[in-house]
Amino acid sequence: MRTQVAIIGAGPAGMLLSHLLAADGVDSVIVEARTEQYVLSRIRAGILEHSSVELLRSAGLGDRLSHKGIEHRGIYLQTPGERHHLDFVDLVGRSVWVYGQTEVQKDLVAARRAADQQIIYQAADAAVHDITTDRPYVTFTVDGKAQRLDAEVIAGCDGSFGPSRAAVPQTVKQVWEKIYPYSWLGVLADVAPSTDELIYAWHPDGFAMHSMRSQTVSRLYLQVPNDTDVKSWSHERIWEALSTRLGASIDGWSLQAGPITESSVLPMRSYVQTPMRHGKLFLAGDAAHIVPPTGAKGLNLAIADVSVLAPALTALIKKNDPTLADDYSHTALQRVWRCTHFSWWMTSMLHISGDPFDAQLQQSQLRWVSSSRAAATGLAENYAGLPLHIG
């Protein structure tokens, strides 16, 4: 097989890249290790930045988002007994949208299927070859049969554990990583949200968050130790902890419980690998960087990466102009590091560490953000207002 761009990974980054390339007349083939149903069903991010929504709409992917998505003006920040609303629209003129990654994936799958995009699912043992030459290629097996895909360039959109990240030699790459001393216990529940917008709650027992996926499905999180076994948390215990941390002391508010349909423990880490390009291999999304979910940046960073990468590859392939491709890593990393810092800042401000001194600093910072327009504007700009290309 031969194509112009070989894309490894059929998640949002890979699918959106193929969609944007096709709009510019560039052919691609997508290779994915998992089944289509597995990729569609993965529970991931749920918040889209204003700029991400604008890009999806401009690419013809906004119809279901406009009908099923929930636009939010801001978020709530909470300490015991106090809840403050930050209005992003008032502060920076931009909103965010609740629209789960599963929904974005559905839209992308439908669009690529309508365009007869070639996607090879259940491609095992994928590997990249000759990425520092003009003839890179990808090998993999399907039903035990060896396959080869030749391309002009390869886009690694295959996440943390795919072959693309590891294909960059140790002598070339630099890695920055932080492992946080806590995790999130996340649950999906078939119950209407008890809040109109997300609640980020600092509590002596640990951080808690109330999010949602729709008008009938709630998404909630609890800070837990890294070695937590999800089986040790009964549904009754989960709801009790959520009720305590999210607002037992907030007058006139109560958390509505319901059937929990999914629960899992999510480790928290920050990871950046540079450069995001080596030869004819370009990394995008989780293949290059991971952020803790506190700042709602993971999916949005993948969208931003692809928005930079698609025109760069188009110019390289159709015009033989390498300028944007040569600048890709530097350009993308401007936003990656800004979002990595914001995610670390939100995480550090809201999660207890066990140090009483840190707890006082966190509460002081939360009071400052909640009472100072300048501080609130900084949070709002990062949460909702970053352009896709910065720097």
Side-chain angles (χ1 to χ4, degrees):
M1 291 180 289
R2 177 173 292 278
T3 188
Q4 291 175 305
V5 181
I7 300 173
I8 306 178
M15 296 288 276
L16 180 58
L17 178 59
S18 73
H19 185 83
L20 296 178
L21 289 173
D24 288 330
V26 177
D27 294 330
S28 65
V29 172
I30 303 174
V31 177
E32 167 59 47
R34 303 284 192 167
T35 66
E36 179 178 348
Q37 185 55 41
Y38 178 90
V39 179
L40 276 169
S41 63
R42 284 184 296 198
I43 302 299
R44 293 291 189 270
I47 302 295
L48 291 177
E49 296 176 12
H50 182 86
S51 52
S52 296
V53 171
E54 287 186 325
L55 176 67
L56 293 173
R57 285 175 168 166
S58 69
L61 298 165
D63 288 347
R64 287 182 68 251
L65 193 161
S66 296
H67 288 96
K68 295 193 67 173
I70 308 171
E71 186 174 13
H72 283 187
R73 291 182 62 97
I75 61 171
Y76 293 101
L77 286 181
Q78 180 177 306
T79 53
E82 297 185 19
R83 182 179 295 166
H84 301 275
H85 185 247
L86 303 187
D87 191 316
F88 298 161
V89 177
D90 176 54
L91 291 165
V92 296
R94 296 192 175 195
S95 59
V96 296
W97 286 73
V98 174
Y99 194 64
Q101 179 173 314
T102 52
E103 300 303 319
V104 175
Q105 186 72 16
K106 289 176 186 176
D107 296 339
L108 287 164
V109 168
R112 302 319 301 138
R113 182 176 288 130
D116 293 325
Q117 171 69 46
Q118 186 175 4
I119 307 172
I120 304 170
Y121 288 101
Q122 294 181 276
D125 304 318
V128 302
H129 307 270
D130 293 352
I131 56 177
T132 58
T133 74
D134 291 332
R135 296 183 176 181
Y137 63 97
V138 180
T139 59
F140 53 93
T141 60
V142 178
D143 295 328
K145 296 180 180 179
Q147 306 282 338
R148 171 170 168 156
L149 174 62
D150 291 277
E152 295 180 45
V153 298
I154 300 171
C157 305
D158 46 343
S160 303
F161 304 107
S164 300
R165 176 192 285 186
V168 181
Q170 293 289 343
T171 55
V172 172
K173 66 185 175 185
Q174 287 185 284
V175 172
W176 289 266
E177 186 172 19
K178 178 178 178 61
I179 306 297
Y180 296 87
Y182 34 73
S183 299
W184 276 10
L185 171 60
V187 301
L188 273 178
D190 283 340
V191 60
S194 302
T195 177
D196 58 333
E197 295 183 338
L198 274 68
I199 302 172
Y200 287 79
W202 182 97
H203 191 275
D205 292 348
F207 169 77
M209 179 178 173
H210 190 329
S211 183
M212 65 279 293
R213 286 295 177 267
S214 70
Q215 301 288 5
T216 58
V217 177
S218 296
R219 182 71 163 153
L220 305 109
Y221 301 95
L222 289 165
Q223 177 186 346
V224 294
N226 278 342
D227 58 354
T228 295
D229 181 355
V230 70
K231 295 178 181 178
S232 67
W233 282 77
S234 67
H235 291 186
E236 181 181 4
R237 182 185 178 191
I238 290 171
W239 285 116
E240 182 179 352
L242 285 167
S243 179
T244 298
R245 299 186 197 184
L246 282 170
S249 57
I250 302 295
D251 291 339
W253 185 88
S254 62
L255 177 67
Q256 300 303 308
I260 292 176
T261 58
E262 188 270 345
S263 59
S264 59
V265 174
L266 174 67
M268 307 282 280
R269 65 183 178 125
S270 297
Y271 178 100
V272 180
Q273 177 175 308
T274 65
M276 291 174 62
R277 176 197 181 178
H278 180 60
K280 294 300 179 70
L281 173 65
F282 296 79
L283 304 181
D286 287 0
H289 43 73
I290 300 288
V291 291
T294 324
K297 288 288 166 273
L299 175 58
N300 293 290
L301 268 180
I303 291 172
D305 287 350
V306 168
S307 76
V308 177
L309 183 56
L313 296 184
T314 298
L316 180 65
I317 291 169
K318 298 193 72 175
K319 302 178 181 178
N320 198 29
D321 181 354
T323 305
L324 294 177
D326 290 344
D327 290 342
Y328 166 67
S329 182
H330 174 77
T331 302
L333 284 168
Q334 302 297 305
R335 200 179 202 274
V336 168
W337 278 115
R338 174 87 299 277
C339 292
T340 298
H341 176 266
F342 176 68
S343 299
W344 164 85
W345 179 75
M346 286 282 286
T347 302
S348 301
M349 178 173 64
L350 288 160
H351 292 75
I352 63 166
S353 66
D355 186 328
F357 183 79
D358 287 347
Q360 293 300 315
L361 292 180
Q362 290 172 324
Q363 292 177 81
S364 175
Q365 191 170 42
L366 285 163
R367 285 193 294 270
W368 173 56
V369 173
S370 300
S371 61
S372 164
R373 185 175 181 87
T377 299
L379 188 154
E381 181 183 31
N382 282 273
Y383 198 106
L386 287 174
L388 288 172
H389 305 170
I390 67 174

